[in-house]
Amino acid sequence: MKQKALVFLLLLASVCLYGQKNKDTLHLQTVEVIGRSTQKYNSDYSFSATKTAILNKDLPQAIGTVTKELITDRQAFQLADAVKIVPGVIPSSYYNQYSIRGISQNEEGQIINGMRTRQYYFLQPVTTNIERVEVIKGPASATFASVDPGGSINLVTKKPLTVDRKEIGVSAGSFSTVRGTLDFTGPLNKEKTLLCRLNGGYQEAKSYRDLVRNNSMLISPSFSYIPDSNTAINVEMIISYLNGNLDRGQPIFGAQAGVTDLNSTPIALNLSAGNDFFKSKELIVTSSLSHRFSETVSFNAAYMKQTWQEDLQEHRTTNAFAVDINNQPVNTLAGMQFVQRKQHWNVDNVTGYFNFRFATGAIKHQLLAGYDLQHWEKQKGGGQNSARGFLLKDGSITSSFVLANSANYQTVSYKGLTLPKPNVNHFDLENPSYTIRNVSDYVMNVRTAVPSALTTTNAVYVQEQLSWNKFILLLSVRQEWFKDITNYKASNEFSFTNNKLLPRVGLTYAVASNINVYGTYLEGFQPQSNTVTLMPNTGSFFWTTKSAAQFKPLISDLKEVGVKAFVLKGKMQVNAAVYEINQKNLLLNANLPVFPDSLTTRGAERSRGFEIDMAGYLLPNWQVNASYSYIDAVIVEDNEEALKGARKQNTPYNSANVWTRFNFPLNTKLKDIGIGAGLQYNGDRIPWFSRDFKTPAYTIMDLALYYSPGKRNIQLACNVNNVLDKRYWIGAQNYLRLFPGAPRNLMLTVTYRF
């Protein structure tokens, strides 16, 4: 498979090499079919926030952007390394999972070019083909349908340019990391009506964590056809292979509340086995069309097809320490289980809308009306097998993690203690063993077919962007019809439907030519079948033949006011916002011992905060990106009375980031040198599943050195992250799942442009 992919990559690269060189033209397109040619840390516009080209300063909503230049300078090869600088975006674990503005991420999958994908969230996507990452704050359901109340991460892919550009990069560094990337683009004919771009990336890497691999390959060709000024077509493909391990985090010895020692085990300690793996394969094909009928009427349409599959084998904790025969915890042994899983997804997205531009007197209108279809199918053939529980004297094996009658169990001895004999051997935290484990020794006593399912969303929407004098009024309404079919095309098929009318209203006022203030109100909507896998204490419900769509949908709202300004003669963009987000009907475990998977919708949360960010040039040779966020997120309603009013999990009160690059002036002896520096601060956090300890606050420093001899087309970069070798944790779930950050590490990169 790798050989075929590399041959395909070389063929596409040779096609793109026929491009002709010329000067690029930058203009605000109706649909993004031509790439962005500017080289800076901030982006002036967005297409996905309103489905139209809108300047960020005119958008009555906060949006954080990470451009490809910032991604490159920081060597942010994976998504988590890119988005961590956006205010209010906090990684929850090693997975592709975040808390945004204090609200935990519920949805699986990525939003790519404004269209929804579906896939499990365990491995981080790579950024080789990403033009910019947009974090649209608040419940943007009026645009994206079912999305997280805190915010949505939209990945905008690189589009072809009208100029001939080619770039190859090779990197090597800590943790046995080797990477190669390429980015070729340009026109394929003299008329420049047919454009091409090819992005590719390959990585083989290990980790500072024992037994962890992060191997990946991505190939992404893109073609744009622009026969005239009225029509534009783009076709894009993304082929992605990820091959690594599910890193469930660092276990520590059990402790009493308030005296937890996070350093009781090495940060490298991992409960996995040497023959564990996690593989995923994804194919995405997207086509888009834009046609302008006249100066006042245009039409846009797009279709995305995605297929995704995973293949998993892992040894993982039961989320509890081992117990002795008297059911007392043994906090130097982790209870273990073995899991195998396969699943397959097929996704279709269709969107089409008309855009009308006209004026009534002094009032300018941009009226949009359209239809969206999202079709997510979890296909038959998936399943999960587990080995867990304890061996009984009669030769049978329990599937429960909880002991019943101690006289019925086979036993083993450990440090003078008598323990029930486990199906999968406990992991000794004091004496780790990383031998390849013989999975045939286990009894697969829990076999579950992944229930086939079909989720469809149909929506019609109308949006008006009205401009008058110094005011811009954004109004939209979206009617959503959601249907979830569990056991799709099976004899026991059943379905649930949810309908919701989603309003949005926002007002922007130009205080001055370079300063806008705004206010906005949004409502969000998430059917519970979209949230059940990521919500705390509800994940097991996903593997039952039931549908969480039977519960009331999660609803949310956002109230926000802010200011957006350009300072230093327009070279620096500054944004600030104050907000409140409320979400209701969170799924909670009903705590019924007889029905351990039973759920109830009695949860509510509220997040208030302030954030500010700035990006741009302090000097022509000095760029900076900086941000600060304060979040006060609390639990409002819960089935545990003591949690009402308590601090929300995995949310620091304060966080801040800064990254800057300075290139020495051309008239100095250091003219070929550039330096980069960054600081990241996060306050302490409460774990997801335990309130007995906190992960401490931390500050880390990153440095970079860039060398471009004679300002030629080659650059050598050396990035050193966590320069002071600070020990820190980006989050935690419980005593057995903490997520330590990387120690000091180095990456050397050579980039050649031609």
Side-chain angles (χ1 to χ4, degrees), residues 619-623 660-677 704-711 715:
L619 295 172
N621 57 332
W622 186 5
Q623 283 201 82
T660 184
R661 174 171 175 167
F662 177 80
N663 294 321
F664 287 94
L666 295 176
N667 58 355
T668 67
K669 293 183 178 181
L670 299 177
K671 62 182 180 180
D672 299 332
I673 303 295
I675 55 174
L705 180 66
Y706 310 99
Y707 176 57
S708 299
K711 295 301 177 183
Q715 176 181 271

Side-chain angles (χ1 to χ4, degrees), residues 470-691:
K470 296 183 178 183
F471 291 93
I472 299 176
L473 178 64
L474 182 65
L475 299 171
S476 69
V477 62
R478 179 186 181 101
Q479 176 62 54
E480 193 94 10
W481 295 275
F482 177 93
K483 186 174 184 178
D484 178 80
I485 304 175
T486 302
N487 303 312
Y488 180 54
K489 293 183 178 179
S491 58
N492 56 341
E493 176 182 298
F494 59 93
S495 64
F496 294 88
T497 59
N498 286 284
N499 304 323
K500 181 68 173 177
L501 186 68
L502 295 165
R504 170 167 66 179
V505 57
L507 181 65
T508 302
Y509 175 71
V511 177
S513 60
N514 63 325
I515 302 175
N516 286 358
V517 296
Y518 70 90
T520 195
Y521 175 80
L522 304 175
E523 290 188 2
F525 164 74
Q526 286 178 288
Q528 298 289 11
S529 58
N530 287 8
T531 70
V532 68
T533 54
L534 299 188
M535 296 295 284
N537 304 316
T538 62
S540 59
F541 196 90
F542 180 70
W543 303 107
T544 69
T545 58
K546 307 170 187 177
S547 171
Q550 64 188 281
F551 299 100
K552 293 180 180 179
L554 189 150
I555 59 174
S556 57
D557 63 70
L558 164 73
K559 296 178 282 291
E560 179 179 315
V561 294
V563 58
K564 300 182 180 183
F566 284 90
V567 298
L568 300 180
K569 298 182 179 179
K571 296 178 181 179
M572 182 70 65
Q573 184 176 350
V574 181
N575 308 301
V578 178
Y579 61 86
E580 177 179 290
I581 300 174
N582 290 280
Q583 62 171 343
K584 300 178 182 179
N585 298 335
L586 279 81
L587 283 180
L588 303 172
N589 194 290
N591 290 331
L592 299 176
V594 181
F595 304 102
D597 294 329
S598 58
L599 304 178
T600 182
T601 51
R602 286 188 290 185
E605 296 175 347
R606 186 268 299 154
S607 177
R608 293 173 180 157
F610 165 76
E611 60 192 25
I612 185 171
D613 64 84
M614 57 182 289
Y617 287 90
L618 294 174
L619 295 172
N621 57 332
W622 186 5
Q623 283 201 82
V624 66
N625 183 292
S627 65
Y628 167 76
S629 175
Y630 171 78
I631 304 172
D632 177 21
V634 298
I635 298 170
V636 178
E637 293 291 338
D638 196 277
N639 54 359
E640 293 186 36
E641 193 67 27
L643 290 180
K644 293 182 180 180
R647 181 181 174 187
K648 183 78 171 59
Q649 309 99 316
N650 199 50
T651 302
Y653 286 120
N654 297 281
S655 60
N657 286 277
V658 62
W659 175 263
T660 184
R661 174 171 175 167
F662 177 80
N663 294 321
F664 287 94
L666 295 176
N667 58 355
T668 67
K669 293 183 178 181
L670 299 177
K671 62 182 180 180
D672 299 332
I673 303 295
I675 55 174
L679 288 173
Q680 179 187 4
Y681 169 80
N682 271 298
D684 61 18
R685 279 174 275 184
I686 297 172
W688 259 32
F689 303 123
S690 172
R691 291 183 171 268

Side-chain angles (χ1 to χ4, degrees), residues 101-175:
R101 285 185 165 181
I103 305 297
S104 300
Q105 188 179 32
N106 304 324
E107 290 279 350
E108 293 177 354
Q110 299 293 332
I111 300 174
I112 301 177
N113 297 319
M115 305 188 80
R116 297 298 309 278
T117 66
R118 300 293 292 182
Q119 71 264 19
Y120 242 33
Y121 63 103
F122 289 123
L123 294 187
Q124 287 283 340
V126 300
T127 60
T128 306
N129 66 322
I130 301 304
E131 173 70 36
R132 64 185 181 276
V133 181
E134 298 177 336
V135 182
I136 301 171
K137 307 295 184 62
S141 297
T143 304
F144 298 130
S146 175
V147 289
D148 295 313
S152 302
I153 299 175
N154 178 47
L155 307 182
V156 181
T157 57
K158 295 176 180 176
K159 304 298 189 296
L161 297 175
T162 58
V163 294
D164 185 43
R165 288 185 183 176
K166 298 169 185 67
E167 178 180 300
I168 295 176
V170 177
S171 303
S174 301
F175 318 131

Side-chain angles (χ1 to χ4, degrees), residues 12-311:
L12 285 170
S14 64
V15 171
C16 284
L17 281 169
Y18 285 104
Q20 302 294 321
K21 295 183 179 180
N22 205 337
K23 292 184 179 180
D24 190 19
T25 57
L26 179 65
H27 60 280
L28 210 55
Q29 310 155 46
T30 303
V31 173
E32 199 159 12
V33 293
I34 299 178
R36 163 181 165 274
S37 62
T38 53
Q39 306 283 320
K40 56 184 182 180
Y41 283 177
N42 61 303
S43 178
D44 302 327
Y45 58 90
S46 173
F47 291 88
S48 58
T50 61
K51 289 185 179 287
T52 62
I54 186 171
L55 295 172
N56 287 341
K57 71 180 182 66
D58 295 334
L59 178 68
Q61 188 175 356
I63 179 171
T65 304
V66 185
T67 64
K68 66 180 184 296
E69 290 75 30
L70 189 52
I71 289 172
T72 298
D73 283 354
R74 299 207 66 167
Q75 284 296 298
F77 189 75
Q78 294 181 315
L79 180 62
D81 296 323
V83 299
K84 68 182 183 181
I85 69 168
V86 178
V89 178
I90 308 297
S92 298
S93 61
Y94 295 139
Y95 317 145
N96 185 31
Q97 178 188 16
Y98 309 93
S99 170
I100 303 178
R101 285 185 165 181
I103 305 297
S104 300
Q105 188 179 32
N106 304 324
E107 290 279 350
E108 293 177 354
Q110 299 293 332
I111 300 174
I112 301 177
N113 297 319
M115 305 188 80
R116 297 298 309 278
T117 66
R118 300 293 292 182
Q119 71 264 19
Y120 242 33
Y121 63 103
F122 289 123
L123 294 187
Q124 287 283 340
V126 300
T127 60
T128 306
N129 66 322
I130 301 304
E131 173 70 36
R132 64 185 181 276
V133 181
E134 298 177 336
V135 182
I136 301 171
K137 307 295 184 62
S141 297
T143 304
F144 298 130
S146 175
V147 289
D148 295 313
S152 302
I153 299 175
N154 178 47
L155 307 182
V156 181
T157 57
K158 295 176 180 176
K159 304 298 189 296
L161 297 175
T162 58
V163 294
D164 185 43
R165 288 185 183 176
K166 298 169 185 67
E167 178 180 300
I168 295 176
V170 177
S171 303
S174 301
F175 318 131
S176 304
T177 301
V178 177
R179 297 173 187 159
T181 62
L182 65 82
D183 183 357
F184 290 177
T185 186
L188 296 179
N189 58 6
K190 293 181 179 179
E191 297 77 16
K192 299 183 182 178
T193 57
L194 182 60
L195 312 175
C196 168
R197 191 159 192 168
L198 173 65
N199 284 276
Y202 182 79
Q203 172 178 274
E204 288 194 5
K206 294 185 179 179
S207 171
Y208 58 98
R209 305 266 303 131
D210 292 337
L211 304 183
V212 172
R213 302 185 311 278
N214 287 291
N215 301 336
S216 58
M217 181 171 65
L218 182 140
I219 304 169
S220 181
S222 177
F223 298 90
S224 293
Y225 178 57
I226 310 171
D228 53 51
S229 60
N230 294 321
T231 304
I233 299 172
N234 178 262
V235 179
E236 177 179 342
M237 178 182 290
I238 301 172
I239 306 168
S240 176
Y241 298 93
L242 299 178
N243 185 352
N245 304 75
L246 275 192
D247 190 350
R248 300 284 186 174
Q250 169 201 6
I252 62 172
F253 298 141
Q256 297 177 356
V259 292
T260 303
D261 182 7
L262 303 188
N263 298 302
S264 61
T265 59
I267 64 169
L269 184 63
N270 192 338
L271 299 180
S272 299
N275 49 334
D276 288 353
F277 59 82
F278 183 94
K279 301 176 183 178
S280 71
K281 181 168 64 176
E282 181 180 48
L283 174 63
I284 296 176
V285 177
T286 306
S287 59
S288 62
L289 165 68
S290 174
H291 181 72
R292 185 173 60 183
F293 295 99
S294 67
E295 292 296 324
T296 58
V297 181
S298 62
F299 175 72
N300 301 299
Y303 169 69
M304 172 191 281
K305 161 70 78 173
Q306 179 210 15
T307 62
W308 180 85
Q309 57 184 304
E310 74 162 354
D311 187 6

Side-chain angles (χ1 to χ4, degrees), residues 270-511:
N270 192 338
L271 299 180
S272 299
N275 49 334
D276 288 353
F277 59 82
F278 183 94
K279 301 176 183 178
S280 71
K281 181 168 64 176
E282 181 180 48
L283 174 63
I284 296 176
V285 177
T286 306
S287 59
S288 62
L289 165 68
S290 174
H291 181 72
R292 185 173 60 183
F293 295 99
S294 67
E295 292 296 324
T296 58
V297 181
S298 62
F299 175 72
N300 301 299
Y303 169 69
M304 172 191 281
K305 161 70 78 173
Q306 179 210 15
T307 62
W308 180 85
Q309 57 184 304
E310 74 162 354
D311 187 6
L312 164 72
Q313 174 174 298
E314 67 165 333
H315 291 77
R316 55 180 285 191
T317 175
T318 62
N319 277 335
F321 291 102
V323 294
D324 64 18
I325 202 67
N326 298 314
N327 211 23
Q328 296 301 307
V330 181
N331 63 20
T332 56
L333 293 180
M336 297 295 295
Q337 59 180 316
F338 174 72
V339 176
Q340 296 173 326
R341 182 173 67 241
K342 290 189 177 184
Q343 61 174 320
H344 315 272
W345 285 83
N346 180 73
V347 177
D348 295 278
N349 282 269
V350 177
T351 184
Y353 53 92
F354 285 91
N355 202 345
F356 305 92
R357 294 174 180 267
F358 58 96
T360 54
I363 301 176
K364 296 179 180 179
H365 303 267
Q366 185 170 347
L367 180 65
L368 184 148
Y371 166 77
D372 287 347
L373 168 66
Q374 297 171 355
H375 182 284
W376 309 322
E377 181 183 357
K378 185 168 51 175
Q379 297 177 317
K380 292 180 179 178
Q384 178 168 295
N385 298 332
S386 300
R388 66 190 197 191
F390 303 96
L391 280 65
L392 299 177
K393 290 180 178 179
D394 62 6
S396 62
I397 300 178
T398 69
S399 61
S400 174
F401 300 130
V402 181
L403 295 184
N405 188 340
S406 60
N408 294 331
Y409 293 94
Q410 297 182 38
T411 60
V412 294
S413 296
Y414 173 78
K415 290 187 175 181
L417 299 173
T418 301
L419 283 67
K421 187 175 182 179
N423 189 354
V424 179
N425 287 338
H426 301 311
F427 191 98
D428 191 340
L429 302 182
E430 293 183 322
N431 186 27
S433 175
Y434 288 136
T435 58
I436 295 177
R437 303 187 192 181
N438 188 357
V439 299
S440 62
D441 292 342
Y442 310 143
V443 176
M444 297 295 181
N445 54 341
V446 181
R447 297 179 180 270
T448 306
V450 176
S452 58
L454 176 65
T455 300
T456 59
T457 297
N458 289 273
V460 293
Y461 48 89
V462 178
Q463 176 181 284
E464 163 74 314
Q465 185 177 327
L466 182 153
S467 302
W468 174 73
N469 201 357
K470 296 183 178 183
F471 291 93
I472 299 176
L473 178 64
L474 182 65
L475 299 171
S476 69
V477 62
R478 179 186 181 101
Q479 176 62 54
E480 193 94 10
W481 295 275
F482 177 93
K483 186 174 184 178
D484 178 80
I485 304 175
T486 302
N487 303 312
Y488 180 54
K489 293 183 178 179
S491 58
N492 56 341
E493 176 182 298
F494 59 93
S495 64
F496 294 88
T497 59
N498 286 284
N499 304 323
K500 181 68 173 177
L501 186 68
L502 295 165
R504 170 167 66 179
V505 57
L507 181 65
T508 302
Y509 175 71
V511 177

